[in-house]
Amino acid sequence: MKVSIIGGGAWGATLGQLLIDNNHEVLIYDINESFVNKINQEHIHPFFNDALSKNLLATKDLEEALKFSNYLLLAVPTKVMRSVLKTINQKITNKTYFINVSKGIEPDTFKRVSEIVTEEIEADKLAGFAVLTGPSHAEEVIKRKLTLLTVASLNQSFAEELQVIFSNETYMRVYTSNDLIGCEVGGAAKNAIAVVSGIATGLDLGENARAALITRGILEIVRIVEVYGGKRDTAFGLTGVGDLIVTASSENSRNFKAGKKIGQGMAVEQIFSSEAQTIEGIRSIYALHQLAVSKDMSLPIISTAYKVIYESLSIKDAMNELLTRTLKSEKIE
Ligand SMILES: NC(=O)c1ccc[n+]([C@@H]2O[C@H](COP(=O)([O-])OP(=O)(O)OC[C@H]3O[C@@H](n4cnc5c(N)ncnc54)[C@H](O)[C@@H]3O)[C@@H](O)[C@H]2O)c1
């Protein structure tokens, strides 16, 4: 089958190669001309030095990508998702399937990508929506290292169709889920905790502290998934805790590395300006803290990280805030 990928960065280009490996046809659309040229002319991944198939093609012409297929895989950062979808809606005429792989929550609205899609794509043009997510460093998938993902949709047969399209017998195994909300939210929430784990590492707090933050962070992921209406089981699966495990202490994770730099004293603006790639977790901390305030929900780790990142709370005061909270029993609730 044919798939158009919207956003050919680290993850979009890697999933393009996966689909080519699985004998599908792919056209990647990206606004960055140098990425497009790298894919078309050098057959090299835009961010990694791995070779790409000559059959993997790219374009900087959105209309060409939209004509190529009515299956659109969304791999742009969440911050541009709404504007990209507005443009797509103006240009498409056919019923179109959307597969989101980006992991974020829209700041200020706290909306999930599926909600943004429903708002921006007219109902008669929207054939289906799914999210494909789970523990996956693009750096490893492009090297065809074993990876397990989950595809979630409210439409079970669409999820099953995608499961077959993305799975192969050598390195990619895809599970299905009907908990769209849990899968969407888990990916965003774990990025926030990965940033915090990075901050702890940058501060050299030690492995005890990092393990504690990650474990208590899981509790916050569970709360976030449940407040959105997702299932607790999903939070403990591949798309929540599984994705946290791969992200929360890995130098391959941009969220972890960004947190580490914050812990070492670098300003967030400096991190954003020096990093060409998407760091969803820092924005997720913003969105999830706003959510916590609006729902009167306790997310002590994320909210303390918000104060450090966005309100210049000193690390010493942040630690003090966390450590002087009322002593309690350990419960997941
Ligand atoms: N990198 C990974 O290992 C990985 C794994 C799973 C999920 N994700 C998620 O996928 C999303 C993308 O991550 P990434 O690592 O590929 O980021 P990236 O920064 O490497 O790539 C994003 C791409 O989007 C393009 N882009 C930006 N604005 C655009 C626009 N308006 N129109 C078209 N293209 C545009 C950029 O040029 C870039 O090529 C994020 O939400 C991330 O959390 C990443």
Side-chain angles (χ1 to χ4, degrees):
M1 75 170 283
K2 288 181 165 185
V3 179
S4 296
I5 296 184
I6 310 299
W11 195 218
T14 299
L15 288 173
Q17 181 59 52
L18 165 68
L19 288 168
I20 294 282
D21 285 350
N22 292 359
N23 295 314
H24 302 293
E25 291 176 65
V26 178
L27 183 61
I28 292 174
Y29 158 73
D30 201 287
I31 44 169
N32 188 323
E33 191 166 1
S34 70
F35 293 177
V36 170
N37 291 342
K38 221 166 170 188
I39 295 167
N40 285 340
Q41 290 157 20
E42 297 173 47
H43 311 294
I44 303 267
H45 191 289
F47 284 104
F48 316 128
N49 271 333
D50 301 87
L52 296 175
S53 163
K54 292 194 168 115
N55 296 330
L56 183 59
L57 302 173
T59 179
K60 57 182 177 47
D61 179 352
L62 177 58
E63 284 182 21
E64 188 187 351
L66 299 179
K67 276 189 197 129
F68 181 79
S69 171
N70 65 337
Y71 280 72
L72 301 186
L73 185 145
L74 304 171
V76 292
T78 313
K79 68 172 178 169
V80 301
M81 192 62 82
R82 192 177 284 278
S83 68
V84 168
L85 287 166
K86 270 188 205 296
T87 311
I88 289 175
N89 183 57
Q90 285 160 6
K91 293 181 186 291
I92 52 174
T93 47
N94 293 337
K95 272 201 171 274
T96 302
Y97 292 92
F98 292 85
I99 307 145
N100 175 51
V101 298
S102 77
K103 292 175 182 168
I105 296 288
E106 189 174 52
D108 300 319
T109 69
F110 337 125
K111 287 194 173 152
R112 297 171 282 115
V113 172
S114 60
E115 295 175 288
I116 305 175
V117 167
T118 312
E119 285 173 6
E120 298 303 335
I121 305 296
E122 288 161 43
D124 60 350
K125 298 178 182 175
L126 181 55
F129 178 88
V131 60
L132 178 68
T133 181
S136 47
H137 291 312
E139 291 86 339
E140 294 189 3
V141 176
I142 197 65
K143 291 188 168 23
R144 299 175 175 84
K145 292 193 176 186
L146 178 66
T147 304
L148 271 54
L149 296 177
T150 299
V151 63
S153 175
L154 300 179
N155 177 341
Q156 177 70 14
S157 61
F158 182 42
E160 285 169 6
E161 180 190 6
L162 295 175
Q163 177 180 42
V164 173
I165 290 168
F166 284 92
S167 293
N168 59 43
E169 290 177 0
T170 49
Y171 66 92
M172 181 59 71
R173 181 170 168 81
V174 180
Y175 290 79
T176 59
S177 166
N178 58 10
D179 185 12
L180 179 65
I181 296 177
C183 289
E184 284 189 282
V185 175
K190 68 84 197 177
N191 275 340
I193 301 300
V195 172
V196 175
S197 169
I199 295 175
T201 307
L203 284 166
D204 203 15
L205 292 186
E207 292 182 5
N208 298 349
R210 188 166 69 186
L213 284 168
I214 293 172
T215 310
R216 298 302 293 173
I218 290 171
L219 173 62
E220 297 192 17
I221 293 173
V222 172
R223 279 187 193 148
I224 293 164
V225 165
E226 288 190 324
V227 86
Y228 271 94
K231 294 179 190 154
R232 175 173 280 233
D233 282 0
T234 308
F236 286 105
L238 287 171
T239 62
V241 172
D243 209 350
L244 181 66
I245 290 170
V246 82
T247 319
S249 53
S250 167
E251 292 291 337
N252 270 343
S253 161
R254 262 171 268 149
N255 294 291
F256 174 79
K257 280 193 292 188
K260 200 167 150 187
K261 286 180 189 163
I262 294 169
Q264 289 164 342
M266 193 185 276
V268 173
E269 301 75 43
Q270 205 184 337
I271 295 171
F272 276 136
S273 63
S274 65
E275 179 59 68
Q277 288 187 271
T278 313
I279 309 165
E280 295 279 16
I282 293 179
R283 290 194 176 87
S284 291
I285 286 173
Y286 178 90
L288 293 170
H289 169 71
Q290 304 291 342
L291 174 84
V293 172
S294 79
K295 301 264 183 205
D296 198 18
M297 175 177 46
S298 171
L299 297 179
I301 296 174
I302 289 174
S303 289
T304 307
Y306 170 87
K307 289 182 199 160
V308 169
I309 295 171
Y310 293 100
E311 294 180 346
S312 306
L313 179 73
S314 74
I315 297 287
K316 191 167 165 266
D317 289 345
M319 297 290 292
N320 190 50
E321 271 196 20
L322 284 174
L323 289 172
T324 53
R325 297 175 66 244
T326 320
L327 295 172
K328 47 185 70 155
S329 66
E330 188 187 16
K331 276 191 274 185
I332 300 271
E333 61 182 18

